[in-house]
Amino acid sequence: MIGMLMFLTALVFLLFGIPVAFAFGGVAILFALLFPWDVGLQVFELLPFRIYGIMQNFTLMAVPLFIFMGLILEKSKMAEELLESMGKLFGPVRGGLAISTVLVGAILAASTGIVGASVVMMGLITLPIMLKHRYDPKLASGTIVASGTLGQIIPPSVVLIVLGDVMYVSVGDLFKAAVMPGIVLTSLYILYILILAWLKPSVAPAMEREPIPYAKLLLKALKAILPPLLLIVAVLGSIFAGIASPTESAAVGVVGAIFLSILKRTFSLETLRYASLETVKLSAMIFMILIGATAFSLVFNAFDGGDFVHRFFTEELGSKWTFILVTMAVIFVLGFFVDFIEISFIVVPILVPIAASFGIDPVWFAILIAMNLQASFLTPPFGFALFYLKGAAGDKVTTGEIYKGVVPFIFLQMTALTIVMLWPKIIYWLG
């Protein structure tokens, strides 16, 4: 029970605005001091060895590399060209601008995987265009934030790299398994927009077709798609073919992103400096959270918190499907208040041995968790994608419109999660 009290205390600290790493690390020290006869500060003697092990982790080296790749591409103007050409291509269709936003979001997800960059870029570029063409602000906002979070499930995804490490599963297998769920989710978004635009033409009216031959628009769109497509093939293709590990392919992606930036004449020392500094900041944040989570888990396990959770699921619930449903519900609710990194490093390790005792496929279980964690970027009050869009949009849309607009897309994410849950073999369609 003390372990559960620790977790609730950490949530309270987060609600008071204490940074995540310090909230979990501070709670660990606090409870070690409060119960010296049970735990005491000597429990932290293991912490340096755990941290050293983290720093030596070859898989986690892919995280800063993929972040750096995404930041270089962010400055390459690739997204702007994609959004402009795809918007003109699909604009004359009802809901076409929203559909083009989803497709560009999926392409950016497969080439950069950085949610913040994708949401901000699409918020700055497509939101004014959609509002200018009388799109409903709620639909426009929801489409942008939902499309921007596709990078959490479509590989190369930082979430999948972290889950692969935490759950002792091959990251390459997770990347393969995540492709079809990503396609399913993207298809659901497009289907929803098409149906809504057909039922309510006023929420997503068609643009007037420009006096340009359609073949010329198509050629321009293909030219914009080709560079990121080649990068996707180089990064994911090398993993799927077994030529390179995810970390090695991330290095290939960095070289490819710099090469594309040079070809587009957007590369400069200032770009390199910006990408390097931001990569250090983001990577430091992730690893600080990991260290805080490690300290928390040391004390949590010292209070037999892991054993308590294991007994609850195996003895009280005693059913594989009950365990999965309760786990998904808990992760979904936690996503309203806690970031995916904390859930991955603190909650998931507790669930891994329980899933193994039920004989659950670890790859399938990891994909379910990843799809659930994606929703944490959209769920109020702490959905980061909502903050990113509001920051980029300014006064163009209200916070209320963003919150309302994202609700249908959260339901679509849960629908995609249910599809993968009921048809597990879908994740193995690529082998």
Side-chain angles (χ1 to χ4, degrees):
M1 291 301 293
I2 295 176
M4 296 300 104
L5 184 61
M6 281 184 64
F7 200 83
L8 291 174
T9 306
L11 286 179
V12 172
F13 279 21
L14 290 174
L15 290 173
F16 277 103
I18 296 173
V20 174
F22 301 113
F24 282 98
V27 167
I29 296 171
L30 176 64
F31 274 75
L33 289 171
L34 288 175
F35 300 92
W37 54 89
D38 285 331
V39 179
L41 292 176
Q42 64 269 17
V43 72
F44 296 115
E45 291 174 358
L46 292 172
L47 189 59
F49 299 101
R50 294 280 186 93
I51 295 172
Y52 187 69
I54 291 166
M55 295 301 108
Q56 284 189 314
N57 193 313
F58 185 70
T59 302
L60 290 179
M61 284 175 61
V63 173
L65 288 171
F66 277 126
I67 291 172
F68 185 81
M69 181 184 81
L71 291 167
I72 290 289
L73 290 175
E74 177 195 342
K75 291 292 184 181
S76 70
K77 307 297 181 184
M78 182 185 72
E80 286 88 333
E81 291 181 16
L82 268 172
L83 287 164
E84 181 187 353
S85 56
M86 297 289 275
K88 289 178 180 178
L89 195 64
F90 291 96
V93 180
R94 278 186 199 170
L97 283 175
I99 292 169
S100 66
T101 301
V102 173
L103 292 173
V104 171
I107 294 169
L108 290 177
S111 52
T112 67
I114 299 178
V115 171
S118 299
V119 172
V120 169
M121 279 190 286
M122 291 191 288
L124 290 172
I125 299 166
T126 63
L127 183 63
I129 297 172
M130 284 196 273
L131 295 178
K132 179 184 174 183
H133 288 89
R134 303 186 306 281
Y135 268 63
D136 179 59
K138 295 188 289 295
L139 175 63
S141 304
T143 302
I144 289 170
V145 292
S147 304
T149 59
L150 286 171
Q152 294 301 96
I153 187 64
I154 296 176
S157 159
V158 172
V159 173
L160 295 175
I161 296 169
V162 170
L163 286 177
D165 179 67
V166 169
M167 300 181 72
Y168 309 105
V169 178
S170 164
V171 175
D173 288 345
L174 288 183
F175 279 8
K176 283 183 185 177
V179 172
M180 284 311 299
I183 291 172
V184 167
L185 188 56
T186 305
S187 303
L188 285 174
Y189 286 174
I190 293 172
L191 190 62
Y192 164 72
I193 293 165
L194 285 171
I195 292 171
L196 185 65
W198 179 66
L199 293 174
K200 295 182 179 179
S202 61
V203 301
M207 289 171 55
E208 290 185 13
R209 187 184 292 278
E210 292 190 16
I212 302 173
Y214 195 76
K216 191 173 181 180
L217 287 175
L218 185 62
L219 184 63
K220 188 177 179 181
L222 288 173
K223 283 182 179 178
I225 292 170
L226 192 60
L229 195 63
L230 289 173
L231 188 63
I232 293 165
V233 170
V235 173
L236 297 183
S238 60
I239 297 172
F240 294 169
I243 299 170
S245 69
T247 305
E248 291 164 344
S249 68
V252 171
V254 168
V255 175
I258 292 173
F259 181 68
L260 286 179
S261 184
I262 291 170
L263 285 181
K264 289 181 174 293
R265 297 181 180 179
T266 56
F267 186 77
S268 65
L269 288 176
E270 183 58 36
T271 299
L272 186 63
R273 182 176 179 275
Y274 163 80
S276 301
L277 285 174
E278 290 301 312
T279 299
V280 169
K281 289 178 187 176
L282 290 169
S283 302
M285 180 194 73
I286 290 171
F287 284 99
M288 275 300 294
I289 292 171
L290 180 49
I291 291 168
T294 303
F296 183 91
S297 64
L298 279 172
V299 180
F300 183 82
N301 290 324
F303 283 120
D304 296 325
D307 293 336
F308 172 79
V309 176
H310 193 282
R311 284 195 304 272
F312 173 76
F313 278 111
T314 55
E315 296 174 13
E316 299 296 326
L317 299 180
S319 163
K320 166 187 168 180
W321 282 105
T322 306
F323 164 71
I324 290 172
L325 291 173
V326 171
T327 298
M328 292 300 112
V330 168
I331 290 175
F332 180 72
V333 172
L334 284 175
F336 281 78
F337 309 101
V338 186
D339 192 13
F340 80 92
I341 301 172
E342 300 88 78
I343 296 174
S344 299
F345 288 134
I346 295 173
V347 179
V348 175
I350 300 170
L351 302 175
V352 170
I354 306 171
S357 68
F358 281 120
I360 296 171
D361 177 3
V363 174
W364 175 66
F365 190 52
I367 295 298
L368 294 182
I369 293 173
M371 296 183 75
N372 205 333
L373 289 175
Q374 185 188 356
S376 69
F377 274 83
L378 301 179
T379 46
F382 298 125
F384 284 111
L386 310 178
F387 299 148
Y388 293 143
L389 179 60
K390 181 57 182 170
D395 296 329
K396 295 184 181 69
V397 289
T398 65
T399 303
E401 287 171 334
I402 296 174
Y403 280 11
K404 290 176 185 175
V406 82
V407 171
F409 291 94
I410 294 173
F411 280 109
L412 291 173
Q413 285 187 323
M414 294 300 103
T415 303
L417 177 64
T418 305
I419 290 170
V420 176
M421 197 181 293
L422 295 177
W423 288 281
K425 290 185 179 178
I426 195 172
I427 68 170
Y428 290 114
W429 283 7
L430 288 182

